[in-house]
Amino acid sequence: MTSTYTLLFTGHLLDAAERASQRFPHHMIGEVDALIKTSINEIAKLQLIGLAVSSLGAGGDMLFAAEMIRRKIPLIVFLPFGKERFLNASVDYLKGTPDENPDEWRTEFERILALATEVRYTTNATAEGNVNEYARCNA
């Protein structure tokens, strides 16, 4: 029996338009995407990747998840709360990019979610909460 790796990814959202200090500015998407793909390639040289786990925020999470879908690796998506609330908080926010298309990240979110093997919610979908819900989801 061949053993496989499970890849777990947790990343940062693209910077919101009003963010005072840069953490993941839009101009770094290409570089981050290339680093994610290079890392996955290095891991794949060592062992078969059998499963991937990630959330699906607009940024590193979605770049990783899209690559897993492209490679046809089963993907489990974890969301900290209900879909619409997650979209509002982590996908649809203004990123302040040139020629920003508000539907671009939402469309990619819906595409990946539809192709994911499974979607799990770590908090009651209707509960009001706080930042700790993201920490719980990442854990």
Side-chain angles (χ1 to χ4, degrees):
M1 183 169 148
T2 304
S3 61
T4 60
Y5 279 163
T6 296
L7 296 186
L8 169 63
F9 184 90
T10 182
H12 290 297
L13 293 175
L14 284 168
D15 290 347
E18 71 277 0
R19 185 173 175 86
S21 61
Q22 291 188 343
R23 181 172 65 179
F24 187 179
H26 185 267
H27 70 270
M28 291 185 68
I29 289 174
E31 181 180 345
V32 170
D33 191 41
L35 287 169
I36 288 170
K37 289 175 181 172
T38 298
S39 296
I40 294 166
N41 287 338
E42 291 301 312
I43 292 167
K45 288 178 187 176
L46 301 172
Q47 190 82 25
L48 180 67
I49 301 169
L51 181 67
V53 178
S54 182
S55 192
L56 209 48
D61 292 351
M62 249 194 251
L63 295 174
F64 172 81
E67 183 61 16
M68 295 297 96
I69 294 295
R70 188 188 72 75
R71 292 173 185 244
K72 297 182 177 26
I73 294 171
L75 173 68
I76 298 175
V77 172
F78 277 79
L79 297 178
F81 34 72
K83 178 181 166 183
E84 287 305 314
R85 185 171 158 218
F86 185 80
L87 281 165
N88 289 333
S90 299
V91 178
D92 291 340
Y93 64 94
L94 289 177
K95 296 157 195 74
T97 60
D99 303 319
E100 185 167 339
N101 176 354
D103 295 328
E104 177 183 7
W105 288 94
R106 179 181 274 258
T107 299
E108 182 67 348
F109 174 91
E110 296 290 358
R111 182 187 77 83
I112 293 169
L113 202 65
L115 295 171
T117 304
E118 185 178 344
V119 178
R120 296 183 185 178
Y121 296 91
T122 57
T123 303
N124 181 324
T126 59
E128 288 298 320
N130 56 42
V131 171
N132 290 332
E133 290 170 311
Y134 289 101
R136 183 181 310 116
C137 186
N138 287 340

